[in-house]
PDB file of all heavy atoms in Angstrom:
ATOM      1  N   ALA A 202      38.733 -31.539  73.317  1.00  0.00           N
ATOM      2  CA  ALA A 202      38.404 -31.292  71.922  1.00  0.00           C
ATOM      3  C   ALA A 202      38.920 -32.352  70.942  1.00  0.00           C
ATOM      4  O   ALA A 202      38.196 -32.779  70.112  1.00  0.00           O
ATOM      5  CB  ALA A 202      38.920 -29.863  71.566  1.00  0.00           C
ATOM      6  N   PRO A 203      40.233 -32.758  71.050  1.00  0.00           N
ATOM      7  CA  PRO A 203      40.670 -33.780  70.103  1.00  0.00           C
ATOM      8  C   PRO A 203      39.890 -35.036  70.205  1.00  0.00           C
ATOM      9  O   PRO A 203      39.667 -35.701  69.162  1.00  0.00           O
ATOM     10  CB  PRO A 203      42.184 -33.968  70.544  1.00  0.00           C
ATOM     11  CG  PRO A 203      42.539 -32.681  71.194  1.00  0.00           C
ATOM     12  CD  PRO A 203      41.320 -32.185  71.927  1.00  0.00           C
ATOM     13  N   ASP A 204      39.464 -35.347  71.431  1.00  0.00           N
ATOM     14  CA  ASP A 204      38.694 -36.508  71.578  1.00  0.00           C
ATOM     15  C   ASP A 204      37.351 -36.507  70.922  1.00  0.00           C
ATOM     16  O   ASP A 204      36.841 -37.391  70.271  1.00  0.00           O
ATOM     17  CB  ASP A 204      38.455 -36.886  73.050  1.00  0.00           C
ATOM     18  CG  ASP A 204      37.874 -38.248  73.285  1.00  0.00           C
ATOM     19  OD1 ASP A 204      38.316 -39.215  72.657  1.00  0.00           O
ATOM     20  OD2 ASP A 204      36.906 -38.331  74.078  1.00  0.00           O
ATOM     21  N   ARG A 205      36.741 -35.295  70.929  1.00  0.00           N
ATOM     22  CA  ARG A 205      35.515 -35.032  70.291  1.00  0.00           C
ATOM     23  C   ARG A 205      35.623 -35.175  68.791  1.00  0.00           C
ATOM     24  O   ARG A 205      34.798 -35.747  68.124  1.00  0.00           O
ATOM     25  CB  ARG A 205      34.881 -33.712  70.673  1.00  0.00           C
ATOM     26  CG  ARG A 205      34.265 -33.601  72.066  1.00  0.00           C
ATOM     27  CD  ARG A 205      33.408 -32.439  72.170  1.00  0.00           C
ATOM     28  NE  ARG A 205      34.107 -31.239  71.921  1.00  0.00           N
ATOM     29  CZ  ARG A 205      34.667 -30.459  72.876  1.00  0.00           C
ATOM     30  NH1 ARG A 205      34.658 -30.901  74.134  1.00  0.00           N
ATOM     31  NH2 ARG A 205      35.294 -29.337  72.550  1.00  0.00           N
ATOM     32  N   VAL A 206      36.712 -34.617  68.290  1.00  0.00           N
ATOM     33  CA  VAL A 206      36.992 -34.718  66.852  1.00  0.00           C
ATOM     34  C   VAL A 206      37.191 -36.146  66.423  1.00  0.00           C
ATOM     35  O   VAL A 206      36.639 -36.569  65.395  1.00  0.00           O
ATOM     36  CB  VAL A 206      38.229 -33.895  66.474  1.00  0.00           C
ATOM     37  CG1 VAL A 206      38.608 -34.107  65.010  1.00  0.00           C
ATOM     38  CG2 VAL A 206      37.925 -32.424  66.711  1.00  0.00           C
ATOM     39  N   ALA A 207      37.895 -36.858  67.221  1.00  0.00           N
ATOM     40  CA  ALA A 207      38.147 -38.287  66.907  1.00  0.00           C
ATOM     41  C   ALA A 207      36.870 -39.125  66.901  1.00  0.00           C
ATOM     42  O   ALA A 207      36.616 -39.947  66.033  1.00  0.00           O
ATOM     43  CB  ALA A 207      39.156 -38.901  67.900  1.00  0.00           C
ATOM     44  N   ARG A 208      35.956 -38.804  67.848  1.00  0.00           N
ATOM     45  CA  ARG A 208      34.695 -39.497  67.916  1.00  0.00           C
ATOM     46  C   ARG A 208      33.871 -39.154  66.701  1.00  0.00           C
ATOM     47  O   ARG A 208      33.193 -40.074  66.162  1.00  0.00           O
ATOM     48  CB  ARG A 208      33.969 -39.157  69.219  1.00  0.00           C
ATOM     49  CG  ARG A 208      34.490 -39.775  70.510  1.00  0.00           C
ATOM     50  CD  ARG A 208      33.426 -39.801  71.680  1.00  0.00           C
ATOM     51  NE  ARG A 208      32.878 -38.467  71.872  1.00  0.00           N
ATOM     52  CZ  ARG A 208      33.379 -37.640  72.728  1.00  0.00           C
ATOM     53  NH1 ARG A 208      34.519 -38.012  73.447  1.00  0.00           N
ATOM     54  NH2 ARG A 208      32.836 -36.447  72.930  1.00  0.00           N
ATOM     55  N   ALA A 209      33.819 -37.923  66.357  1.00  0.00           N
ATOM     56  CA  ALA A 209      33.086 -37.489  65.174  1.00  0.00           C
ATOM     57  C   ALA A 209      33.617 -38.192  63.887  1.00  0.00           C
ATOM     58  O   ALA A 209      32.815 -38.634  63.063  1.00  0.00           O
ATOM     59  CB  ALA A 209      33.174 -35.980  64.978  1.00  0.00           C
ATOM     60  N   GLU A 210      34.950 -38.259  63.775  1.00  0.00           N
ATOM     61  CA  GLU A 210      35.553 -38.958  62.618  1.00  0.00           C
ATOM     62  C   GLU A 210      35.175 -40.463  62.592  1.00  0.00           C
ATOM     63  O   GLU A 210      34.808 -40.968  61.556  1.00  0.00           O
ATOM     64  CB  GLU A 210      37.073 -38.804  62.634  1.00  0.00           C
ATOM     65  CG  GLU A 210      37.488 -37.320  62.360  1.00  0.00           C
ATOM     66  CD  GLU A 210      39.007 -37.215  62.429  1.00  0.00           C
ATOM     67  OE1 GLU A 210      39.639 -38.171  62.951  1.00  0.00           O
ATOM     68  OE2 GLU A 210      39.545 -36.191  62.010  1.00  0.00           O
ATOM     69  N   ARG A 211      35.161 -41.096  63.801  1.00  0.00           N
ATOM     70  CA  ARG A 211      34.809 -42.455  63.865  1.00  0.00           C
ATOM     71  C   ARG A 211      33.387 -42.671  63.555  1.00  0.00           C
ATOM     72  O   ARG A 211      32.998 -43.649  62.836  1.00  0.00           O
ATOM     73  CB  ARG A 211      35.123 -43.043  65.204  1.00  0.00           C
ATOM     74  CG  ARG A 211      36.578 -43.211  65.510  1.00  0.00           C
ATOM     75  CD  ARG A 211      36.837 -44.100  66.759  1.00  0.00           C
ATOM     76  NE  ARG A 211      36.200 -43.592  67.967  1.00  0.00           N
ATOM     77  CZ  ARG A 211      36.813 -42.762  68.809  1.00  0.00           C
ATOM     78  NH1 ARG A 211      38.161 -42.357  68.510  1.00  0.00           N
ATOM     79  NH2 ARG A 211      36.209 -42.303  69.848  1.00  0.00           N
ATOM     80  N   ALA A 212      32.547 -41.786  63.996  1.00  0.00           N
ATOM     81  CA  ALA A 212      31.132 -41.880  63.707  1.00  0.00           C
ATOM     82  C   ALA A 212      30.828 -41.747  62.171  1.00  0.00           C
ATOM     83  O   ALA A 212      29.976 -42.443  61.648  1.00  0.00           O
ATOM     84  CB  ALA A 212      30.342 -40.795  64.473  1.00  0.00           C
ATOM     85  N   GLN A 213      31.590 -40.795  61.626  1.00  0.00           N
ATOM     86  CA  GLN A 213      31.442 -40.608  60.141  1.00  0.00           C
ATOM     87  C   GLN A 213      31.866 -41.842  59.298  1.00  0.00           C
ATOM     88  O   GLN A 213      31.181 -42.240  58.384  1.00  0.00           O
ATOM     89  CB  GLN A 213      32.260 -39.328  59.649  1.00  0.00           C
ATOM     90  CG  GLN A 213      32.206 -39.116  58.101  1.00  0.00           C
ATOM     91  CD  GLN A 213      30.816 -38.824  57.654  1.00  0.00           C
ATOM     92  OE1 GLN A 213      29.959 -38.347  58.384  1.00  0.00           O
ATOM     93  NE2 GLN A 213      30.497 -39.230  56.435  1.00  0.00           N
TER      94      GLN A 213
END
Side-chain angles (χ1 to χ4, degrees):
D204 188 46
R205 285 198 300 270
V206 172
R208 285 201 306 270
E210 290 177 348
R211 288 196 299 271
Q213 177 61 32

